[in-house]
Structures are given as C-alpha cells and as structure tokens.
Amino acid sequence: MADEYRSVRLEEVRAVYYRQPRLPAVSERMEEPHRMWAKEQALAGLLGTGAATTTHSLTTCAKSRTTSGRAC
C-alpha cells in the first residue's frame, strides 16, 4: 500500500492506530448508484481487513502461547 509520501508492505503491519474513526468517504461527484456501491465496497474492505488482522493476531497469539507458555 502506498501513496506519494509513504509505503508499507501489509504483511509487515503489526498494529494500526485508527484516529478519529468514521465510515469511508466517497466523492459526492459520483452518480448515486456508483457512489453507494463504492461506499459498500470500501466498508467491506475495511471490515474485512480488520477481521483478517484480528483473526491473524489471535491465531499468532495462541500459537505463541502454546510454544512459550506465556500470555500475549
């Protein structure tokens, strides 16, 4: 994931700080059916990424605890 200022490899992300959370915004210049679709897709992507990250973190934590005997 990258923009003109920064880049990050998603497989290297360990934590995310989501300041001032709000729903994804879509340009008002888009026509209504397209805008609604884009909003739904952006939200699905955000929620899917969050769910995948949480699941991965919990799985990693459980495996780590099993092998080390310590809590995460």
Side-chain angles (χ1 to χ4, degrees):
M1 179 179 285
D3 66 10
E4 61 218 46
Y5 303 106
R6 300 169 227 178
S7 66
V8 64
R9 294 177 53 88
L10 294 181
E11 59 269 7
E12 295 174 359
V13 174
R14 298 286 181 226
V16 175
Y17 174 63
Y18 188 21
R19 185 174 64 173
Q20 299 176 347
R22 53 185 166 257
L23 294 175
V26 178
S27 173
E28 294 294 324
R29 293 183 287 173
M30 292 177 77
E31 293 181 23
E32 183 53 38
H34 302 286
R35 187 170 63 233
M36 181 61 73
W37 179 84
K39 280 183 175 181
E40 290 170 356
Q41 293 299 304
L43 183 57
L46 179 64
L47 295 174
T49 302
T53 303
T54 301
T55 302
H56 173 72
S57 297
L58 293 175
T59 303
T60 303
C61 178
K63 287 179 182 175
S64 173
R65 187 173 186 171
T66 301
T67 57
S68 71
R70 292 180 289 159
C72 299

